[in-house]
Amino acid sequence: MITMKKKITVVGSINTDFVVTSDRWAQPGETIIGRSFQTTFGGKGGNQAIAAAKLGGEVTMIGRVGQDVFADEYLNNFREHRVKTDGVEKVDTSTGSAYITVAQQDNSIIVVPGANDYLQPEDIEEYQELLKNCDLVILQQETPADTIEYVVDYCHRHGVDTLLNPAPAREIPQAVIDQVTYLTPNETEFALMFPDQSYEEACAQYPKKLIITLGSDGAVFNNGQEHINVPAFVVKPIDTTGAGDTFNGALAVAITSGMDLEEGMAFSNLASSLSVQKFGAQGGMPTLTEMRLHPDYQDHWNLS
Ligand code: RIB
């Protein structure tokens, strides 16, 4: 049984999601009547922190929130899920926000970074001990690019593993690709980063590092010998928001618990298939108990 609880630090965004559900997409210039509106907790960083914590990870968050009610609500949310907030500070602006439409079994998102943009490289100096003493650092791309580059470089120099989820898509310096331990683009992000390569070619170039998530087609990587597709658990989604975040948070728990990458990807596929069956980025993220009770849970995953 794998019982070691490993330390995961998330450097990333914290957003309030303003979510509208609708039967279809509004076209530019068109007004349509929606079905519902809710505010939920989101941000790729916050989502991945909560996903990992719900699955038993010991998680610390580094990020920025604003001076508003959304900040206090989110800090309570972190506390309720036992995510440590030693690295979260308030800055004099609004908390990050995302404007999400859920329609036709998909979503579209506009993010306004707000406080997330205030996490600058010089702020990271204060967290060097925290970074040095954790087992895995997870990052995404809703915080400034130079902050991500600083953290990846710092961790690389100090032998700390990093997992970069390059979402939302933007170009990444080659040095970052070389220095990260794991890189987890989805199809869109992959196409921007590796425009001239097939999945097979790119995964072979970065074995055991590049993991491409393909939604209902599962996830692919190269194990050092061959290209492997780890199939998805196909379900009927209610809300796909945060599915990628659940995958990444779960993968962090799997890796730091000693699972091999292929098993970790299967575990993460199951977690994200559960997450899409409820509303909200964090609403459907499973706990470890929910995972273990699921008929597709593999006993040899052995997480406790
Ligand atoms: O990945 C989903 C997240 O993207 C949402 O929660 C939203 O806040 C945006 O950051």
Side-chain angles (χ1 to χ4, degrees):
M1 166 120 7
I2 298 169
T3 52
M4 297 169 293
K5 244 195 185 168
K6 292 296 183 73
K7 293 182 184 138
I8 297 165
T9 298
V10 179
V11 180
S13 58
I14 297 166
N15 295 339
T16 304
D17 289 351
F18 297 84
V19 191
V20 165
T21 62
S22 169
D23 290 338
R24 67 174 180 85
W25 305 100
Q27 299 306 309
E30 183 187 26
T31 302
I32 61 172
I33 304 297
R35 282 198 170 267
S36 68
F37 168 75
Q38 282 189 50
T39 57
T40 58
F41 299 112
K44 295 182 193 304
N47 290 344
Q48 293 177 20
I50 297 287
K54 287 185 89 167
L55 291 169
E58 190 181 320
V59 183
T60 304
M61 182 80 203
I62 296 176
R64 292 292 179 263
V65 290
Q67 299 275 3
D68 50 28
V69 66
F70 302 116
D72 296 328
E73 287 174 357
Y74 212 124
L75 288 168
N76 283 338
N77 180 49
F78 278 140
R79 279 181 211 115
E80 275 169 24
H81 290 94
R82 291 187 302 282
V83 172
K84 294 182 199 155
T85 53
D86 311 23
V88 181
E89 284 181 23
K90 288 186 175 179
V91 291
D92 192 15
T93 187
S94 53
T95 297
S97 51
Y99 302 86
I100 303 180
T101 303
V102 176
Q104 297 169 296
Q105 299 198 345
D106 211 338
N107 65 59
S108 68
I109 305 179
I110 297 174
V111 171
V112 179
N116 295 308
D117 268 352
Y118 285 63
L119 186 69
Q120 294 294 320
E122 55 268 27
D123 298 320
I124 300 298
E125 282 167 27
E126 191 180 330
Y127 309 120
Q128 288 181 350
E129 284 305 307
L130 173 61
L131 293 173
K132 252 194 275 186
N133 290 310
C134 72
D135 298 292
L136 182 71
V137 175
I138 321 180
L139 307 103
Q140 324 74 34
Q141 303 201 123
E142 288 181 337
T143 40
D146 47 359
T147 305
I148 292 165
E149 288 165 31
Y150 180 96
V151 173
V152 169
D153 179 63
Y154 180 85
C155 291
H156 181 69
R157 283 187 288 110
H158 291 85
V160 179
D161 285 346
T162 49
L163 186 163
L164 173 61
N165 173 224
R170 70 178 174 218
E171 279 173 24
I172 302 179
Q174 184 62 39
V176 171
I177 298 177
D178 292 341
Q179 289 178 334
V180 292
T181 317
Y182 306 102
L183 186 63
T184 60
N186 68 13
E187 296 157 271
T188 314
E189 293 139 14
F190 173 84
L192 184 83
M193 294 171 67
F194 300 94
D196 303 320
Q197 284 179 286
S198 66
Y199 296 153
E200 283 83 352
E201 286 165 348
C203 288
Q205 188 181 350
Y206 297 105
K208 298 183 188 169
K209 170 188 285 216
L210 181 61
I211 295 161
I212 309 167
T213 57
L214 302 171
S216 58
D217 288 330
V220 294
F221 83 120
N222 186 300
N223 67 2
Q225 279 148 2
E226 58 180 333
H227 188 77
I228 294 190
N229 178 294
V230 182
F233 296 85
V234 180
V235 293
K236 194 159 182 243
I238 289 173
D239 181 2
T240 56
T241 312
D245 299 329
T246 307
F247 181 94
N248 281 280
L251 191 62
V253 170
I255 291 169
T256 55
S257 302
M259 257 192 234
D260 78 21
L261 218 40
E262 186 172 348
E263 291 295 349
M265 288 163 66
F267 174 79
S268 306
N269 278 344
L270 181 59
S272 58
S273 77
L274 292 178
S275 78
V276 300
Q277 294 179 65
K278 288 191 186 153
F279 181 78
Q282 296 175 14
M285 287 175 176
T287 61
L288 194 51
T289 306
E290 286 166 339
M291 288 282 281
R292 295 180 75 181
L293 290 174
H294 194 276
D296 288 318
Y297 185 87
Q298 305 289 307
D299 286 336
H300 62 262
W301 288 340
N302 254 344
L303 279 177
S304 70

